Amino acid sequence: VPHSVSTWLDQPPPSKIDSGVIRLTRPALADADALVTAINSCLDHLRPWMPWAQHPADRKSIITFLNEAEESWNDRGQFLYLVRLEGEPEVVGGCGLHARRGRGVLEIGYWIHVEHVGNGYATRLARALTDTAFALPGVEVVEIHHDKANGRSKRVPEKLGFSFVGEKPDVADAPGEVGLDWTWRAFRDRWPSGTAPRVEG
Ligand SMILES: CC(C)(COP(=O)(O)OP(=O)(O)OC[C@H]1O[C@@H](n2cnc3c(N)ncnc32)[C@H](O)[C@@H]1OP(=O)(O)O)[C@@H](O)C(=O)NCCC(=O)NCCS
């Protein structure tokens, strides 16, 4: 997973985020087998949209991924989480906050296992990640990007009240994509949760 070192973010988000039935945790090597199982049991669902899901996962590739996730967390380049349902061991998705859109901006990414879609989980985790992002000093904007063709992903920022920024050409790096990026933004001052502390100065 490519990432850039984020020098502007002074502190990382929490390693665990609970939002109702959804539990987000910073991944550990002990999660490798659960993650391999989750990805490989819905590869056809992920392949159109996720560049990393073009081939089945295996223990080796996932250990590499988990090591990179750990490194990029420590560098404050990106903060990846595994998604589980409360009290359940299975991984039902993945998500993250990425510091790759410039100073003051965190981007949210997500996927949910095909057996668990349509329950509002992606929307719920994106809301929790937006709350989390705005609780970090220095974060002014949260973005969600999806390919124009990904209508299900589009519903997430739309339902959360993100503002549509626009469409721009992008690399189509997964087979469902048409190569048009749609960008959505939430702004600290206008985010409705009311939990984000103001940063002075
Ligand atoms: C996109 C994804 C994360 C959505 O997860 P989810 O937990 O089902 O999302 P939610 O339940 O919060 O919302 C999904 C919305 O898409 C809608 N939807 C379902 N199928 C759809 C379709 N074919 N076209 C448009 N909307 C669709 C749902 O009805 C729901 O909207 P609603 O609440 O207005 O009814 C999941 O489908 C997924 O993992 N897809 C593959 C990976 C991916 O595309 N990731 C995002 C890359 S930007």
Side-chain angles (χ1 to χ4, degrees):
V1 178
H3 66 277
S4 52
V5 173
S6 159
T7 50
W8 59 269
L9 204 54
D10 290 334
Q11 67 185 67
S15 298
K16 287 183 179 198
I17 301 171
D18 292 352
S19 175
V21 70
I22 293 291
R23 303 288 143 121
L24 311 184
T25 56
R26 179 179 179 171
L29 288 179
D31 294 313
D33 291 338
L35 187 52
V36 170
T37 300
I39 292 169
N40 287 345
S41 59
C42 70
L43 209 57
D44 291 345
H45 163 68
L46 298 174
R47 195 180 289 114
W49 310 113
M50 307 316 261
W52 47 261
Q54 304 312 303
H55 305 285
D58 57 32
R59 227 186 118 75
K60 185 164 178 281
S61 63
I62 290 300
I63 297 276
T64 301
F65 165 79
L66 291 170
N67 282 325
E68 287 172 358
E70 179 66 16
E71 191 184 329
S72 59
W73 186 293
N74 292 332
D75 288 347
R76 302 202 182 130
Q78 59 184 1
F79 309 97
L80 302 180
Y81 294 90
L82 299 178
V83 184
R84 288 185 172 85
L85 301 181
E86 185 185 7
E88 304 287 339
E90 295 84 17
V91 170
V92 302
C95 61
L97 289 166
H98 306 262
R100 61 190 174 200
R101 300 283 178 181
R103 191 180 185 87
V105 183
L106 287 179
E107 177 187 355
I108 295 176
Y110 41 75
W111 63 272
I112 293 291
H113 194 285
V114 68
E115 284 169 21
H116 295 276
V117 295
N119 295 318
Y121 296 156
T123 304
R124 178 175 282 274
L125 70 80
R127 182 185 289 112
L129 288 175
T130 306
D131 289 341
T132 299
F134 285 139
L136 297 175
V139 178
E140 296 301 323
V141 171
V142 173
E143 292 189 352
I144 292 177
H145 293 250
H146 63 82
D147 187 87
K148 181 184 181 179
N150 197 343
R152 289 182 300 177
S153 184
K154 170 180 179 256
R155 288 296 296 140
V156 173
E158 204 167 47
K159 284 191 281 184
L160 292 176
F162 278 48
S163 304
F164 180 62
V165 177
E167 173 182 299
K168 62 177 188 294
D170 192 17
V171 183
D173 49 12
E177 297 186 348
V178 295
L180 291 170
D181 170 271
W182 277 34
T183 300
W184 300 75
R185 282 196 189 124
F187 301 90
R188 170 185 287 272
D189 291 346
R190 287 187 256 150
W191 179 244
S193 74
T195 57
R198 289 289 304 158
V199 181
E200 306 301 328

